[in-house]
Amino acid sequence: MEDKKVIFSGVQPTGCITLGNYLGALKNWVELQNDYNCLFSVVDLHSITVRQDPVQLRKRCVDFLIQYLACGIDGESNIVYFQSHVPQHAELSWILNCYTYLGELSRMTQFKDKSAKHENNINAGLFTYPVLMASDILLYQTDLVPVGHDQLQHLELTRDIAIRFNHIYGDTFKVPEPYVVKSGAKRIMSLQNPTSKMSKSDPNENGYISILDTPDAILRKIKRAVTDSGSTIKFEEGRDGINNLISIYSAVTDKSVSEVEAEFDSKGYGDFKLAVAEAVIEHLRPVRERYEDLKKNKDYIEKIYSEGAQRAAYIAQKTLSKVHRRIGYVDRKYIKK
């Protein structure tokens, strides 16, 4: 890899990439590709903290990776791979478990939230999930990690673990920093509950737009989007629904909020919603078309993730070998046949 700063991003293959994911994160990541060494991992090891249908998980993992590529992630200049294809993730996770305190893990708010949602399956993996996340990041001597607010606590733990290990054994891990998206990036909210972030886990499918939604589905969802009792297209405090639609239109057209307000100065909600829907449809059209083309090219997709895993494993093993030496493991000797 060239001498650039390293960015690692891991995303669970949970369904689809939403318009919110795309505008809030993926579009920014695409712009980072020329300036950073980027690793994009489909983190399937994390997925099994919740019971999965094996057939569906396998299909969803591949589909999610294809969506990454369709959004503009370059699978050849970046490293794009499945987490389970690089066993160093799991091995380092066990080692770092031994340098993580029980009290630290018990304070993780996501464990509490997920335990409440999965009361019949509160497993050890759910509890130690943040240590695996730390391993994902530290394996690659990562400089920057794009994280949302809900993952900041996990990144802080990653930093604590790295600092603790380095203090005991000397400089081993780079201590990562959060990557803050560029100023002005849009936070896209639910179409049905505009005080909450747009999420693929929303029980109401009208609350989110998938990047793979058909034009008819996008039009229907935006027409049903919650607004308020007003009639003017103005970005104002307390008007969460219309503010969200203005943010979406602004993001997909690259127009400022003031430009959007001026464009629809004398228009009503009906005209505005139609314009938002048409703009979103056109913005996502090349993504959908690229996705359909990639789905037909199984050999290319397999090449991307198999070569990605080989490249990731090479980097990961260098870190893991250093860790082994630091903690006192006997050097591995493999007999050549």
Side-chain angles (χ1 to χ4, degrees):
M1 295 173 76
E2 297 176 43
D3 188 21
K4 300 175 183 177
K5 285 191 173 182
V6 176
I7 284 184
F8 175 88
S9 179
V11 181
Q12 282 202 51
T14 50
C16 64
I17 294 174
T18 69
L19 180 68
N21 303 139
Y22 176 66
L23 296 177
L26 273 161
K27 274 190 73 178
N28 290 311
W29 297 352
V30 170
E31 295 174 11
L32 299 175
Q33 295 179 113
N34 295 326
D35 300 322
Y36 297 92
N37 287 322
C38 297
L39 296 103
F40 299 106
S41 180
V42 177
V43 290
D44 46 354
L45 294 180
H46 287 289
S47 294
I48 63 169
T49 58
V50 176
R51 293 287 176 263
Q52 302 284 345
D53 177 308
V55 173
Q56 290 303 313
L57 177 61
R58 190 175 297 114
K59 179 179 182 297
R60 207 163 57 240
C61 284
V62 174
D63 200 64
F64 213 79
L65 187 141
I66 294 173
Q67 289 180 57
Y68 257 36
L69 301 179
C71 286
I73 298 296
D74 187 333
E76 296 181 37
S77 63
N78 300 296
I79 296 177
V80 181
Y81 69 104
F82 296 119
Q83 182 190 28
S84 62
H85 289 192
V86 181
Q88 290 90 341
H89 284 261
E91 187 171 351
L92 182 60
S93 181
W94 166 250
I95 294 171
L96 295 186
N97 266 314
C98 301
Y99 295 86
T100 306
Y101 300 135
L102 197 63
E104 292 174 316
L105 292 176
S106 66
R107 289 192 292 271
M108 296 291 110
T109 55
Q110 279 214 340
F111 172 71
K112 297 171 186 175
D113 293 343
K114 290 189 176 184
S115 296
K117 292 178 182 177
H118 304 282
E119 292 180 350
N120 296 323
N121 184 28
I122 304 175
N123 56 73
L126 198 61
F127 189 66
T128 60
Y129 175 106
V131 184
L132 178 56
M133 181 176 170
S135 302
D136 300 338
I137 296 164
L138 298 178
L139 264 179
Y140 301 102
Q141 305 297 340
T142 300
D143 294 285
L144 299 166
V145 184
V147 287
H149 179 74
D150 58 341
Q151 292 288 352
L152 275 174
Q153 191 184 35
H154 287 175
L155 183 58
E156 282 302 315
L157 178 62
T158 298
R159 290 170 51 81
D160 290 342
I161 294 170
I163 291 168
R164 181 178 302 137
F165 195 97
N166 289 348
H167 179 72
I168 297 170
Y169 296 108
D171 186 28
T172 306
F173 296 118
K174 191 168 288 185
V175 180
E177 299 285 345
Y179 172 76
V180 181
V181 297
K182 64 184 181 180
S183 176
K186 305 297 180 185
R187 181 173 167 84
I188 306 303
M189 313 303 281
S190 166
L191 297 176
Q192 292 299 308
N193 181 13
T195 59
S196 298
K197 185 175 70 171
M198 183 180 285
S199 172
K200 57 203 167 195
S201 61
D202 193 325
N204 185 344
E205 66 173 15
N206 289 312
Y208 65 89
I209 292 171
S210 162
I211 61 168
L212 303 179
D213 273 346
T214 64
D216 285 346
I218 294 171
L219 178 60
R220 183 181 69 252
K221 290 178 181 182
I222 291 179
K223 278 186 173 181
R224 294 176 179 175
V226 170
T227 50
D228 53 50
S229 58
S231 59
T232 57
I233 315 301
K234 289 283 185 184
F235 196 100
E236 297 173 333
E237 187 175 350
R239 304 182 69 201
D240 300 311
I242 199 67
N243 290 350
N244 190 37
L245 291 177
I246 290 172
S247 293
I248 292 172
Y249 189 76
S250 170
V252 298
T253 61
D254 289 324
K255 295 178 180 179
S256 68
V257 169
S258 58
E259 287 174 326
V260 177
E261 290 175 337
E263 182 180 348
F264 294 94
D265 181 42
S266 58
K267 302 286 180 67
Y269 283 180
D271 290 335
F272 182 53
K273 284 184 173 182
L274 181 59
V276 174
E278 289 174 347
V280 170
I281 289 166
E282 288 309 308
H283 190 80
L284 293 179
R285 189 181 302 280
V287 175
R288 290 193 302 273
E289 290 174 352
R290 173 74 171 150
Y291 171 82
E292 293 300 332
D293 287 342
L294 287 167
K295 275 193 75 173
K296 299 171 187 172
N297 198 339
K298 183 180 177 182
D299 290 344
Y300 176 74
I301 297 303
E302 289 181 353
K303 174 177 179 290
I304 291 297
Y305 68 69
S306 59
E307 290 184 358
Q310 290 172 17
R311 292 164 66 194
Y314 175 79
I315 301 165
Q317 189 57 45
K318 290 200 291 185
T319 296
L320 191 60
S321 295
K322 183 190 291 186
V323 170
H324 285 175
R325 288 193 299 273
R326 292 281 199 270
I327 63 177
Y329 285 172
V330 175
D331 290 343
R332 296 180 182 181
K333 303 295 181 183
Y334 296 100
I335 298 173
K336 296 180 180 179
K337 293 183 179 180

